[in-house]
Amino acid sequence: MSEKSPSKKKLGFVGVVKRLVPIVVRATPVFFISFSVLAILHGVSWGFETMMQQRFFDAATVFAQGESTIRSVLVALAFLGGANILCQVLNGVVNFVPEVLGQKVIGRLSKGIHEKMARLDPKCFEDTDVLDDINKALQGQNNALWFVFMLCAIFTFYVPYFIFMGWYLFTLKPILVISIVIIFIPAFLTQIVRTKVFAKLEDKSAPKRREFDYYESCIVSREYFKETRLLGGYKYFKKLYLDTLDTLQKLKFQATLKTNLLELLMSFLTVLGFSTIFLMLFDAVMKGEITVGAFAAVTNSIGLLYSIMEEVVCRHAGQMAQSMGSITNYLNFLDLEERQGKVQEVPQLGDVVLEGVSFKYPGSEKYAVKDVSFTLKHGETLAIVGENGSGKSTLIRLLTGIYLPDEGRVTIGGVDTRDLPLDALYRNTSAVFQKYQRYLMTFEDNITISDAKKTFDDLALDDACRKAGVDSNGRSFPEGYKTMLSREFDGVDLSGGQWQRVAIARGFFRDHQLIILDEPTAAIDPYEETRVYNRFAEISKDKTAVIVTHRLGSVKLADRIVVLKDGKVVQVGTHDELIARSGEYHRLYKSQEKWYVEDAEKKKMTEELADSFNLQPSFA
Ligand SMILES: Nc1ncnc2c1ncn2[C@@H]1O[C@H](COP(=O)(O)OP(=O)(O)O)[C@@H](O)[C@H]1O
Ligand SMILES: [Mg+2]
């Protein structure tokens, strides 16, 4: 992944068209072919109607001069009526098709975005530039469909219609064709300026929009709600929210004002061109160069031609220009670098070997992990300890291959993580992270989502729950595994400690060779964490397991302990070895000892109290 995000790449109009059209057309080819055919017929029918108008007016003129019978007028009228009905029918059908099939194309495009996100290098998600790109891409996707649809309409409907009218005017009086150009140029120039202004606007607004969305969620979403109300953060976020809204609106206002003023100026020129055509036509009739029927048909249809031009150039092309910015972002998102491995399968998990591994987060100067070397042996239980911010979680992401090291290398079962595709990396690994998710789904789904393809029965669920210490028969789950775990969907809510055990059960449910607990125990006290980790070490006897914590009392059972400080490994050994030496482990252990004494006492007191009331103690 290069440091610079490719989002800064600018595609011109042609560039966008070349990339976008195949993507959208491939999503539903039938839609585009049928739409194009209908649109061509529609354009031709309009030209045909104009010709029929001329024929009718001419017939009427000749009849008025007493040189023909009423029959020829009626025949001409019948043709005109037929042409008109044809136009109406095709118009209806052409408008109907995109409404019906548009949603389908959007669905297919979304799938593309979702699949792309799954293939992205996970490190991308640490980069705020890339997060902006994703936000912009989602916006661009909806515009993309509409853009291609308009483009299709322009080439299959508007352009054939203009060409036809151009040819028709040319046959009447060649100079008339120039007037079409006079109408066209000012509006065209306006759109070029518009494209630039709105592309710039999109770039400037995306980071602001992200801020705006975040502040809004701080105000309204349930997880923030209690805290922001209670601690008075509500007013603070509301102010930030309104300030960003203000900035966004100002940006939009400036851009719109600029383009609208220009548009106004240019429309004067257009009116001028429009008037020229009438004068020329009038002159031609007076000189007898064209028939009265042609004059009537052209003046009648030139109004239509003008309003269509205005529709295409000012409204459609204008919107297309506006959406160019977000569509470019969509295309650039599709170009983001992916993690592609050469090797398809991790052979067997084997040892994980880190050799001189260093890593920096995108946009950060400081190494989060620096020059780390050690081997995670197959089947061992390894603990990674260190103070907050010492690099434990980063090291986990490196040794599982989620992140690739900037320097050094990580091999899993002898294969460099650089050569492994993401799905192969995840295949044998399970993990529970500090920031685990609370899915608003059933208890069962919350557990089984970690291995969606696995077939399972209640025994498998029981097993995962037992390992994680979840009391699946308890009062918290009135409908057993089918209990809905969310108030939003008429279910129950769990306490922080219960959610956390459910998250651990999810980790156990997934078939794995390697399992990692990265401080999912933050919500519980040190004593309880020790119990969870000890049980975990017991259960993981035949599997490779890594436990991560900043609380040293919890890791005595680990086969080996790696001590991190400022991103570097400062000690490796068993608890007994490390405690016997003076060093970081010893220092940290001494400073934390009181937690265990205090917590053990607290627990004992609670248990005694609970005993006397015959209650179950809960430390969750
Ligand atoms: N997304 C990120 N972007 C920039 N720096 C980060 C990011 N995540 C973590 N860091 C930094 O990397 C260092 C190690 O973090 P981390 O691995 O989370 O530590 P630990 O898990 O031991 O608490 C810290 O200095 C932290 O500030
Ligand atoms: Mg961490």
Side-chain angles (χ1 to χ4, degrees), residues 423 427 448-456 509-511:
D423 55 338
R427 204 163 300 148
T448 57
I449 195 169
S450 63
D451 207 344
K453 290 200 192 105
K454 180 166 157 175
T455 48
F456 63 89
F509 178 79
R510 182 175 169 81
D511 281 337

Side-chain angles (χ1 to χ4, degrees), residues 244-260:
T244 7
L245 181 64
D246 204 37
T247 315
L248 278 172
Q249 275 172 342
K250 272 197 192 116
L251 285 173
K252 180 130 196 201
F253 175 75
Q254 284 162 356
T256 316
L257 184 69
K258 217 192 259 176
T259 51
N260 282 8

